[in-house]
Amino acid sequence: MEKSFAFKNIETGYTSTNVATKKGITSKTLILLALMLLSGIVTGYYLLVVLSGSGNASIFMGVLVASLFVSFIAALVGRWKRSAAKPASIIYSISEGIGLGAITTLFDLAVPGIGFAAAASVAGIFAVMLLLYHFNIIRPTRKFKSFLLGFGISLIIMVIVTSLMYRNISEFSPALVIGLESIFIAFGALSLIQNFGELDAVVSMGADKNEEWACALGLSITLAYIYIYVLRILYYIAMIFGDR
C-alpha cells in the first residue's frame, strides 16, 4: 500500500522483534488524546479567568498564538523525522490542546455543552468509519487514494474561491454554511479510512516500534481536524434553530 503524506517517512521491513503493533499504536494514540484533553481543560479554565478580568489577557493571547504555530511545526517534524516522532507528538498534542481548549470554551459559552457533543460526535464518526473499514465496505485502494487527493485539492480551491468572493462567513446562507462544513467533515472521515489502511500496512510490514508514535500522531491530527469542523457545524445548527 502506498503511503500518504502523513505516513511518508515511516520505514518498514525491520526484522527485529521490537516492531510496531496495533496495541502499541492504540495506547500511544490514547496518550496523545489524553494530553490534548488535559491541556485543553487547563486552557479553558484559564480563559474563563481571563474573560472574568482576573487574568492577563495579553499573556494568554501570546501563548495561544504560539501554541498554534508550535503545533503546526511539531506535526510536520513528527511526520517527516521519525527519530523525533515521540517528542514532536507530545509537543503537538499539548499545543494543539491549548488551541482546541480555547476554541471549545468560546463555543461552549455561546452553546453550553457543545464541546461534549462535538467530542461524542467525533467518537461516533470514528466508530462508524472503523466498522466500514473492518467489514471491507470501504477500502483504501489506489483509486480511493486518488479520489481523496482530488477531494483535498478541491477543498483548498473551494476555500480560496469563497474567500475571494465573500468577506466573511455571515454572507453565506445557513444551508450553505452547513453544507460546506459537512463536506470538510466528510473529507476528515474518509481520511480515517486511509489512516486505518496505512496503520495495518505499517504493522504487517514490520515497522520499528518507534514508528508507533508517528502513526499515533497521524491519527491524532485527523481526529483534531474532524473535531474542529464538527464543533463548527454544531454551532451553526444551534444558531439556526436557536433563532426560531
Side-chain angles (χ1 to χ4, degrees):
M1 179 178 294
E2 296 185 18
K3 300 174 186 176
S4 67
F5 168 80
F7 293 82
K8 202 69 175 179
N9 275 12
I10 294 180
E11 296 182 6
T12 56
Y14 288 87
T15 56
S16 169
T17 55
N18 190 33
V19 296
T21 63
K22 291 183 179 179
K23 181 179 179 180
I25 295 172
T26 299
S27 63
K28 289 175 175 59
T29 301
L30 291 175
I31 290 173
L32 296 182
L33 293 178
L35 288 173
M36 199 179 296
L37 176 62
L38 180 60
S39 62
I41 292 174
V42 173
T43 302
Y45 172 79
Y46 190 73
L47 176 57
L48 293 177
V49 173
V50 170
L51 293 176
S52 69
S54 303
N56 193 314
S58 60
I59 293 179
F60 178 83
M61 289 303 300
V63 171
L64 180 59
V65 172
S67 70
L68 296 177
F69 176 76
V70 170
S71 64
F72 176 74
I73 298 301
L76 291 180
V77 172
R79 305 315 295 147
W80 287 99
K81 191 172 181 60
R82 65 186 183 85
S83 60
K86 180 177 180 179
S89 299
I90 294 174
I91 292 172
Y92 167 81
S93 294
I94 295 174
S95 55
E96 183 72 6
I98 292 174
L100 293 180
I103 294 171
T104 301
T105 300
L106 293 175
F107 274 89
D108 201 68
L109 289 174
V111 184
I114 193 173
F116 178 80
S121 298
V122 172
I125 292 172
F126 181 87
V128 169
M129 301 313 292
L130 183 60
L131 288 174
L132 291 176
Y133 174 80
H134 178 74
F135 290 106
N136 295 320
I137 298 175
I138 302 179
R139 302 298 295 181
T141 62
R142 185 181 296 272
K143 289 184 178 180
F144 178 88
K145 178 182 176 181
S146 298
F147 167 77
L148 197 61
L149 177 61
F151 195 172
I153 294 174
S154 298
L155 287 180
I156 294 174
I157 295 174
M158 182 180 69
V159 169
I160 294 174
V161 172
T162 53
S163 297
L164 293 174
M165 292 177 60
Y166 300 94
R167 287 173 296 180
N168 56 69
I169 200 167
S170 63
E171 297 181 27
F172 289 71
S173 68
L176 179 59
V177 171
I178 293 176
L180 291 175
E181 297 298 316
S182 298
I183 293 174
F184 281 96
I185 293 174
F187 176 75
L190 291 175
S191 295
L192 285 175
I193 294 293
Q194 182 70 15
N195 288 350
F196 296 149
E198 288 169 330
L199 294 178
D200 270 346
V202 164
V203 172
S204 63
M205 294 173 68
D208 183 78
K209 198 169 185 64
N210 289 329
E211 308 292 0
E212 291 176 349
W213 286 104
C215 295
L217 175 59
L219 269 175
S220 299
I221 292 172
T222 302
L223 291 173
Y225 165 89
I226 296 174
Y227 176 82
I228 291 173
Y229 282 97
V230 169
L231 191 67
R232 286 163 56 91
I233 197 172
L234 290 178
Y235 172 78
Y236 293 127
I237 292 174
M239 292 298 97
I240 291 172
F241 286 97
D243 292 336
R244 297 183 177 181

mmCIF file of all heavy atoms in Angstrom, residues 111-136:
data_model
loop_
_atom_site.group_PDB
_atom_site.id
_atom_site.type_symbol
_atom_site.label_atom_id
_atom_site.label_comp_id
_atom_site.label_asym_id
_atom_site.label_seq_id
_atom_site.Cartn_x
_atom_site.Cartn_y
_atom_site.Cartn_z
ATOM 1 N N VAL A 111 -22.953 28.170 23.274
ATOM 2 C CA VAL A 111 -23.851 26.999 23.241
ATOM 3 C C VAL A 111 -23.370 26.007 24.296
ATOM 4 O O VAL A 111 -22.505 25.170 24.013
ATOM 5 C CB VAL A 111 -23.857 26.338 21.843
ATOM 6 C CG1 VAL A 111 -24.868 25.190 21.810
ATOM 7 C CG2 VAL A 111 -24.155 27.342 20.755
ATOM 8 N N PRO A 112 -23.883 26.077 25.510
ATOM 9 C CA PRO A 112 -23.442 25.176 26.579
ATOM 10 C C PRO A 112 -23.549 23.703 26.201
ATOM 11 O O PRO A 112 -24.557 23.259 25.661
ATOM 12 C CB PRO A 112 -24.410 25.518 27.724
ATOM 13 C CG PRO A 112 -24.790 26.944 27.451
ATOM 14 C CD PRO A 112 -24.895 27.048 25.962
ATOM 15 N N GLY A 113 -22.481 22.973 26.461
ATOM 16 C CA GLY A 113 -22.471 21.537 26.186
ATOM 17 C C GLY A 113 -22.020 21.168 24.797
ATOM 18 O O GLY A 113 -21.920 19.974 24.461
ATOM 19 N N ILE A 114 -21.689 22.167 23.967
ATOM 20 C CA ILE A 114 -21.341 21.866 22.582
ATOM 21 C C ILE A 114 -20.017 21.105 22.480
ATOM 22 O O ILE A 114 -19.827 20.286 21.577
ATOM 23 C CB ILE A 114 -21.271 23.171 21.745
ATOM 24 C CG1 ILE A 114 -21.229 22.828 20.257
ATOM 25 C CG2 ILE A 114 -20.099 24.031 22.154
ATOM 26 C CD1 ILE A 114 -21.328 24.041 19.356
ATOM 27 N N GLY A 115 -19.093 21.350 23.413
ATOM 28 C CA GLY A 115 -17.812 20.656 23.390
ATOM 29 C C GLY A 115 -17.993 19.160 23.592
ATOM 30 O O GLY A 115 -17.399 18.347 22.863
ATOM 31 N N PHE A 116 -18.804 18.789 24.563
ATOM 32 C CA PHE A 116 -19.067 17.369 24.817
ATOM 33 C C PHE A 116 -19.787 16.733 23.629
ATOM 34 O O PHE A 116 -19.472 15.612 23.234
ATOM 35 C CB PHE A 116 -19.920 17.218 26.077
ATOM 36 C CG PHE A 116 -20.290 15.795 26.382
ATOM 37 C CD1 PHE A 116 -19.383 14.946 27.006
ATOM 38 C CD2 PHE A 116 -21.539 15.299 26.043
ATOM 39 C CE1 PHE A 116 -19.715 13.627 27.281
ATOM 40 C CE2 PHE A 116 -21.883 13.974 26.314
ATOM 41 C CZ PHE A 116 -20.976 13.142 26.943
ATOM 42 N N ALA A 117 -20.739 17.470 23.059
ATOM 43 C CA ALA A 117 -21.483 16.949 21.907
ATOM 44 C C ALA A 117 -20.555 16.727 20.715
ATOM 45 O O ALA A 117 -20.676 15.731 19.994
ATOM 46 C CB ALA A 117 -22.604 17.918 21.524
ATOM 47 N N ALA A 118 -19.616 17.642 20.520
ATOM 48 C CA ALA A 118 -18.669 17.517 19.416
ATOM 49 C C ALA A 118 -17.754 16.316 19.620
ATOM 50 O O ALA A 118 -17.491 15.552 18.685
ATOM 51 C CB ALA A 118 -17.852 18.792 19.277
ATOM 52 N N ALA A 119 -17.261 16.142 20.852
ATOM 53 C CA ALA A 119 -16.384 15.020 21.154
ATOM 54 C C ALA A 119 -17.112 13.690 20.953
ATOM 55 O O ALA A 119 -16.542 12.735 20.392
ATOM 56 C CB ALA A 119 -15.870 15.122 22.591
ATOM 57 N N ALA A 120 -18.372 13.632 21.396
ATOM 58 C CA ALA A 120 -19.162 12.417 21.224
ATOM 59 C C ALA A 120 -19.411 12.138 19.742
ATOM 60 O O ALA A 120 -19.378 10.983 19.299
ATOM 61 C CB ALA A 120 -20.494 12.554 21.964
ATOM 62 N N SER A 121 -19.627 13.189 18.978
ATOM 63 C CA SER A 121 -19.855 13.035 17.543
ATOM 64 C C SER A 121 -18.610 12.512 16.843
ATOM 65 O O SER A 121 -18.698 11.650 15.955
ATOM 66 C CB SER A 121 -20.266 14.375 16.926
ATOM 67 O OG SER A 121 -21.474 14.841 17.484
ATOM 68 N N VAL A 122 -17.450 13.018 17.236
ATOM 69 C CA VAL A 122 -16.196 12.549 16.642
ATOM 70 C C VAL A 122 -15.983 11.072 16.965
ATOM 71 O O VAL A 122 -15.561 10.291 16.105
ATOM 72 C CB VAL A 122 -15.000 13.382 17.156
ATOM 73 C CG1 VAL A 122 -13.690 12.772 16.692
ATOM 74 C CG2 VAL A 122 -15.111 14.813 16.665
ATOM 75 N N ALA A 123 -16.287 10.686 18.205
ATOM 76 C CA ALA A 123 -16.170 9.280 18.593
ATOM 77 C C ALA A 123 -17.099 8.418 17.743
ATOM 78 O O ALA A 123 -16.730 7.312 17.316
ATOM 79 C CB ALA A 123 -16.504 9.116 20.077
ATOM 80 N N GLY A 124 -18.300 8.929 17.478
ATOM 81 C CA GLY A 124 -19.245 8.202 16.638
ATOM 82 C C GLY A 124 -18.743 8.066 15.211
ATOM 83 O O GLY A 124 -18.853 6.988 14.596
ATOM 84 N N ILE A 125 -18.204 9.141 14.666
ATOM 85 C CA ILE A 125 -17.656 9.107 13.304
ATOM 86 C C ILE A 125 -16.505 8.112 13.221
ATOM 87 O O ILE A 125 -16.413 7.314 12.276
ATOM 88 C CB ILE A 125 -17.172 10.514 12.883
ATOM 89 C CG1 ILE A 125 -18.365 11.450 12.724
ATOM 90 C CG2 ILE A 125 -16.371 10.446 11.575
ATOM 91 C CD1 ILE A 125 -17.980 12.903 12.503
ATOM 92 N N PHE A 126 -15.632 8.143 14.228
ATOM 93 C CA PHE A 126 -14.503 7.221 14.266
ATOM 94 C C PHE A 126 -14.997 5.773 14.277
ATOM 95 O O PHE A 126 -14.490 4.919 13.532
ATOM 96 C CB PHE A 126 -13.655 7.496 15.502
ATOM 97 C CG PHE A 126 -12.445 6.603 15.619
ATOM 98 C CD1 PHE A 126 -11.257 6.945 15.006
ATOM 99 C CD2 PHE A 126 -12.511 5.425 16.354
ATOM 100 C CE1 PHE A 126 -10.140 6.122 15.114
ATOM 101 C CE2 PHE A 126 -11.405 4.596 16.461
ATOM 102 C CZ PHE A 126 -10.208 4.949 15.840
ATOM 103 N N ALA A 127 -15.988 5.482 15.118
ATOM 104 C CA ALA A 127 -16.511 4.124 15.230
ATOM 105 C C ALA A 127 -17.145 3.654 13.921
ATOM 106 O O ALA A 127 -16.922 2.519 13.481
ATOM 107 C CB ALA A 127 -17.539 4.059 16.361
ATOM 108 N N VAL A 128 -17.911 4.522 13.294
ATOM 109 C CA VAL A 128 -18.570 4.164 12.028
ATOM 110 C C VAL A 128 -17.545 3.876 10.940
ATOM 111 O O VAL A 128 -17.632 2.864 10.230
ATOM 112 C CB VAL A 128 -19.523 5.292 11.573
ATOM 113 C CG1 VAL A 128 -19.998 5.045 10.140
ATOM 114 C CG2 VAL A 128 -20.723 5.382 12.506
ATOM 115 N N MET A 129 -16.537 4.757 10.814
ATOM 116 C CA MET A 129 -15.522 4.564 9.778
ATOM 117 C C MET A 129 -14.682 3.323 10.049
ATOM 118 O O MET A 129 -14.290 2.608 9.110
ATOM 119 C CB MET A 129 -14.630 5.800 9.678
ATOM 120 C CG MET A 129 -15.367 7.094 9.357
ATOM 121 S SD MET A 129 -16.562 6.965 7.990
ATOM 122 C CE MET A 129 -15.462 6.699 6.596
ATOM 123 N N LEU A 130 -14.428 3.028 11.326
ATOM 124 C CA LEU A 130 -13.677 1.823 11.678
ATOM 125 C C LEU A 130 -14.464 0.571 11.295
ATOM 126 O O LEU A 130 -13.893 -0.399 10.778
ATOM 127 C CB LEU A 130 -13.357 1.820 13.173
ATOM 128 C CG LEU A 130 -12.501 0.648 13.679
ATOM 129 C CD1 LEU A 130 -11.152 0.628 12.970
ATOM 130 C CD2 LEU A 130 -12.300 0.750 15.193
ATOM 131 N N LEU A 131 -15.776 0.599 11.521
ATOM 132 C CA LEU A 131 -16.617 -0.536 11.142
ATOM 133 C C LEU A 131 -16.674 -0.696 9.624
ATOM 134 O O LEU A 131 -16.610 -1.819 9.100
ATOM 135 C CB LEU A 131 -18.032 -0.352 11.706
ATOM 136 C CG LEU A 131 -18.184 -0.537 13.218
ATOM 137 C CD1 LEU A 131 -19.595 -0.176 13.662
ATOM 138 C CD2 LEU A 131 -17.854 -1.973 13.622
ATOM 139 N N LEU A 132 -16.789 0.412 8.921
ATOM 140 C CA LEU A 132 -16.809 0.356 7.458
ATOM 141 C C LEU A 132 -15.516 -0.224 6.912
ATOM 142 O O LEU A 132 -15.512 -0.978 5.936
ATOM 143 C CB LEU A 132 -17.040 1.762 6.882
ATOM 144 C CG LEU A 132 -18.427 2.371 7.109
ATOM 145 C CD1 LEU A 132 -18.474 3.801 6.578
ATOM 146 C CD2 LEU A 132 -19.502 1.522 6.424
ATOM 147 N N TYR A 133 -14.417 0.120 7.562
ATOM 148 C CA TYR A 133 -13.116 -0.417 7.146
ATOM 149 C C TYR A 133 -12.996 -1.892 7.527
ATOM 150 O O TYR A 133 -12.557 -2.723 6.717
ATOM 151 C CB TYR A 133 -11.996 0.391 7.801
ATOM 152 C CG TYR A 133 -10.624 -0.187 7.547
ATOM 153 C CD1 TYR A 133 -9.973 0.047 6.340
ATOM 154 C CD2 TYR A 133 -9.990 -0.973 8.508
ATOM 155 C CE1 TYR A 133 -8.712 -0.492 6.093
ATOM 156 C CE2 TYR A 133 -8.736 -1.517 8.268
ATOM 157 C CZ TYR A 133 -8.103 -1.265 7.066
ATOM 158 O OH TYR A 133 -6.866 -1.803 6.818
ATOM 159 N N HIS A 134 -13.387 -2.220 8.743
ATOM 160 C CA HIS A 134 -13.249 -3.595 9.253
ATOM 161 C C HIS A 134 -14.044 -4.587 8.417
ATOM 162 O O HIS A 134 -13.565 -5.700 8.146
ATOM 163 C CB HIS A 134 -13.714 -3.651 10.713
ATOM 164 C CG HIS A 134 -13.645 -5.025 11.311
ATOM 165 N ND1 HIS A 134 -12.457 -5.613 11.671
ATOM 166 C CD2 HIS A 134 -14.622 -5.931 11.603
ATOM 167 C CE1 HIS A 134 -12.701 -6.826 12.160
ATOM 168 N NE2 HIS A 134 -14.008 -7.037 12.136
ATOM 169 N N PHE A 135 -15.229 -4.201 7.980
ATOM 170 C CA PHE A 135 -16.079 -5.099 7.191
ATOM 171 C C PHE A 135 -15.870 -4.933 5.683
ATOM 172 O O PHE A 135 -16.693 -5.384 4.876
ATOM 173 C CB PHE A 135 -17.549 -4.881 7.555
ATOM 174 C CG PHE A 135 -17.905 -5.374 8.931
ATOM 175 C CD1 PHE A 135 -18.132 -4.481 9.974
ATOM 176 C CD2 PHE A 135 -17.994 -6.732 9.200
ATOM 177 C CE1 PHE A 135 -18.447 -4.931 11.247
ATOM 178 C CE2 PHE A 135 -18.315 -7.191 10.473
ATOM 179 C CZ PHE A 135 -18.537 -6.290 11.498
ATOM 180 N N ASN A 136 -14.783 -4.279 5.309
ATOM 181 C CA ASN A 136 -14.394 -4.138 3.901
ATOM 182 C C ASN A 136 -15.426 -3.419 3.037
ATOM 183 O O ASN A 136 -15.499 -3.638 1.828
ATOM 184 C CB ASN A 136 -14.091 -5.506 3.288
ATOM 185 C CG ASN A 136 -12.893 -6.178 3.923
ATOM 186 O OD1 ASN A 136 -11.896 -5.525 4.214
ATOM 187 N ND2 ASN A 136 -12.988 -7.477 4.155
#
